[in-house]
Amino acid sequence: MTYVITPTPLTWGWISLSILMLAFQTALMLATAPFFSGWVDRLGGRLTGQNRYRASGRWQEIRHQFVRPGYFVAGDRLSSLGCRSGFVLSVLAAGMVPVFALLPAGFPAPGLLLVCAVLVGASLLLCLPLLVQRRHMVQNAYMALMAESLLLPALVPVLVMVGGQDLSAFLAHVRGLSPLGSGAPFVLMGVALFAAAAWRGRQAGETLVCPLSGADRGLWLLATDIVLLCWVTLAGDVAWAGCLALPSDGTVETWLMECLQGGSAWLLKLVVAASLLAVTQLMVLPLPRRARVRLASVFLLGLLAWQAAYPSLAPAAVQDKTASIQVQDPALGEEGTPQ
C-alpha cells in the first residue's frame, strides 16, 4: 500500500536542521543504549530476587573493557572482525530509526525492510564471536544464530504493510491516525516489532558468554545494547507515532517544541518497554523453545496486524481498479456512458 504525503519545500535551513537533528538522535541512541540495558537488567533482578548492578553499571563495564588489554587466541581475529562489523551496522541502524523527529518529505530515508535487515545483520555478526567457544556453549550460540537468521522471514507480514515506501513517509501517515481507531492495526504492528526485541540477552540469570576481551568486548557489549534499543524504539515509533515531530510550514520554534515533546514521549516508551522486557525474564524457557516462542509471536502478531489493516485498504484498491476499467473500456465515452 502507498500513502501520499504532501511534500514540504526543502530549503537549506531545513536540510541543515534535519541533518543536525539526525546526528543528535544517533548520538542520543548510542549514549542511552547501555543505560537502557542496565535498567532492564536491574528491573529483572528485582523481579527475580537477584542482586544486580545499577543502571549505570553497564556503562561502567563497557568503559572498563576499553581500558583493559586484549588477549587473543586462535579464532579471535575473525571474531574481532565480526564484532567491529556488527558495531558499525548497529550505529548505522541507530541513525535510521527515528527517536523523536521525522525527516521532511523528499529527504532520503530508508525503508522498513532496510532497517530490519541492518538490525538482523548486526545481530548475526555479533553472534560470530559466540561460535568459537567450546562444547555446550557452541550449541547455544548456533541456536541463537539460527533464531536471528529466521527473524527477517518472520517479519514478512509487517514488511508487507509498509510496502516499498520509506519509513519516514509511513510514520508521517500513521502519526495522524488514532491508536484506538483506524490506527489500531499499526499498534499491533508495533507490538510485533517489540516481540523481536523480547527474549534477548539475559533470561533468569542465563546469558551467552562472549569470549572477547579488551576493546573488542566493550564494542560487543555496546553494539548489543544498541541493537536492543533500536528494536524497542522502532516498535514505539510504529505503535505510537503521534508524538514524532515532523517539519512543516510552521516556524522552527514550533518544530523544536514538538521535538522536546517527542523526546519526553520517547522516555515514557522506554520506561514501559523496560518494564515489559524485565517481565519476560520471569519466563524460564530453554533456548530452543524461547526462540520458537519469539519467532512465532513476531509472525502471528504481524499477520494479525496485516489482516486488521487489509479491510480498510481493499475497498480503495477495488475502487481504483473499477475506475481504471471504466476509462479503458472503448464502449464507454468520457462520461462513462455508452457511445
Side-chain angles (χ1 to χ4, degrees):
M1 60 184 180
T2 303
Y3 301 115
V4 179
I5 305 299
T6 303
T8 301
L10 287 179
T11 61
W12 286 110
W14 279 116
I15 292 176
S16 301
L17 285 175
S18 299
I19 293 176
L20 290 176
M21 190 59 66
L22 180 62
F24 177 76
Q25 290 184 114
T26 304
L28 183 62
M29 290 276 284
L30 300 183
T32 309
F35 286 105
F36 178 75
S37 296
W39 181 243
V40 171
D41 187 56
R42 184 171 178 80
L43 287 178
R46 291 289 184 87
L47 294 177
T48 56
Q50 300 177 359
N51 294 325
R52 303 285 178 85
Y53 292 105
R54 295 178 300 177
S56 60
R58 184 71 168 186
W59 251 127
Q60 295 176 2
E61 181 182 1
I62 293 175
R63 289 197 300 265
H64 177 67
Q65 294 296 332
F66 275 105
V67 299
R68 291 182 59 186
Y71 299 96
F72 295 95
V73 296
D76 280 359
R77 296 297 180 182
L78 181 60
S79 300
S80 177
L81 179 60
C83 174
R84 296 173 186 270
S85 302
F87 175 75
V88 172
L89 287 184
S90 65
V91 174
L92 179 62
M96 291 180 177
V97 177
V99 178
F100 52 81
L102 295 175
L103 295 176
F107 203 91
L112 182 61
L113 175 60
L114 179 59
V115 175
C116 294
V118 170
L119 288 173
V120 172
S123 298
L124 293 177
L125 289 173
L126 293 176
C127 288
L128 184 60
L130 305 177
L131 300 178
V132 299
Q133 301 178 87
R134 299 177 180 179
R135 299 177 183 176
H136 67 283
M137 297 302 298
V138 177
Q139 182 180 1
N140 293 335
Y142 275 110
M143 291 181 182
L145 181 68
M146 183 63 66
E148 295 296 337
S149 61
L150 294 177
L151 181 57
L152 199 59
L155 287 170
V156 168
V158 173
L159 300 176
V160 169
M161 294 180 64
V162 180
Q165 60 185 324
D166 60 77
L167 182 60
S168 294
F170 172 75
L171 293 177
H173 173 80
V174 173
R175 69 191 295 269
L177 302 179
S178 173
L180 301 178
S182 56
F186 304 105
V187 176
L188 287 175
M189 179 180 173
V191 176
L193 290 172
F194 179 80
W199 294 287
R200 302 180 76 250
R202 298 184 180 181
Q203 299 293 325
E206 178 186 352
T207 180
L208 295 176
V209 181
C210 177
L212 294 175
S213 61
D216 290 333
R217 179 171 176 81
L219 286 178
W220 187 86
L221 293 173
L222 182 57
T224 304
D225 296 342
I226 293 172
V227 171
L228 175 62
L229 184 60
C230 285
W231 280 118
V232 171
T233 304
L234 182 62
D237 291 340
V238 175
W240 183 23
C243 57
L244 297 176
L246 179 65
S248 59
D249 297 332
T251 61
V252 177
E253 291 78 6
T254 303
W255 178 64
L256 292 177
M257 184 59 64
E258 292 179 355
C259 290
L260 183 60
Q261 296 175 357
S264 302
W266 178 63
L267 294 178
L268 178 60
K269 295 176 186 178
L270 293 187
V271 171
V272 176
S275 302
L276 294 177
L277 290 176
V279 171
T280 60
Q281 297 191 13
L282 297 177
M283 300 177 61
V284 182
L285 298 174
L287 187 58
R289 182 175 298 179
R290 187 193 314 161
R292 290 194 295 268
V293 170
R294 178 190 176 199
L295 294 174
S297 300
V298 172
F299 181 79
L300 293 179
L301 287 171
L303 184 62
L304 180 61
W306 178 78
Q307 290 179 344
Y310 182 76
S312 62
L313 302 173
V318 173
Q319 183 178 2
D320 294 341
K321 184 177 180 180
T322 304
S324 176
I325 294 176
Q326 290 179 353
V327 172
Q328 295 177 2
D329 193 346
L332 302 178
E334 296 181 356
E335 301 297 332
T337 57
Q339 294 182 348

